[in-house]
Amino acid sequence: MIRGEPPLGPGADPVDRLIAFGRRVIDLLAIHGDLIMAAQMGKPGARFAGPVYATYRMHVTTLLREHAATQGQELDADYLADVLLAALNAEMYGFWQSDVGLDRQRITTGFEQLVRAVTTST
């Protein structure tokens, strides 16, 4: 994220970096989603209180602000960062896979569509 190769790391367009970030988190959820969800069970707000969420939030907020600045857009980067991260929640991922029957590719494509919708000028 910080030092990696583009598009995940610096040097790529902020929207491409957001999409690459989402892909990597979805990959992580596919492997460790049950473990992540179990660690948060019974602890309201646990997801938001830890350093991982804070780091992810700062990264996504920064990329949204960078994109908005280059496009002359007005975005509420703080709010939209949380909206995008909500789509990368272990519980949501598990629901989409188990209850709705979405596969990882469809979830990844949906996240990309969400990022593009959020970052498109109106």
Side-chain angles (χ1 to χ4, degrees):
M1 248 173 28
I2 297 169
R3 292 183 287 256
E5 293 293 318
L8 188 60
D13 175 78
V15 172
D16 293 338
R17 290 188 71 198
L18 281 168
I19 292 166
F21 169 77
R23 285 183 185 138
R24 292 292 189 249
V25 173
I26 290 167
D27 290 346
L28 178 70
L29 293 172
I31 297 167
H32 301 292
D34 290 340
L35 180 62
I36 294 167
M37 198 172 6
Q40 297 170 348
M41 294 288 262
K43 301 174 190 168
R47 175 175 184 241
F48 307 109
V52 172
Y53 190 83
T55 301
Y56 285 2
R57 189 175 193 274
M58 180 182 66
H59 180 64
V60 173
T61 301
T62 300
L63 291 174
L64 287 169
R65 286 186 179 137
E66 185 180 321
H67 170 74
T70 63
Q71 300 299 309
Q73 282 181 296
E74 292 290 325
L75 291 179
D76 187 342
D78 294 313
Y79 172 79
L80 292 173
D82 289 325
V83 168
L84 291 173
L85 289 171
L88 300 174
N89 174 298
E91 187 174 9
M92 189 83 254
Y93 182 85
F95 169 74
W96 282 330
Q97 287 236 302
S98 299
D99 295 16
V100 180
L102 302 182
D103 63 20
R104 181 164 46 173
Q105 183 56 52
R106 189 162 171 201
I107 295 167
T108 302
T109 299
F111 183 78
E112 180 177 344
Q113 291 171 343
L114 178 61
V115 168
R116 293 197 186 284
V118 163
T119 57
T120 299
S121 284
T122 56

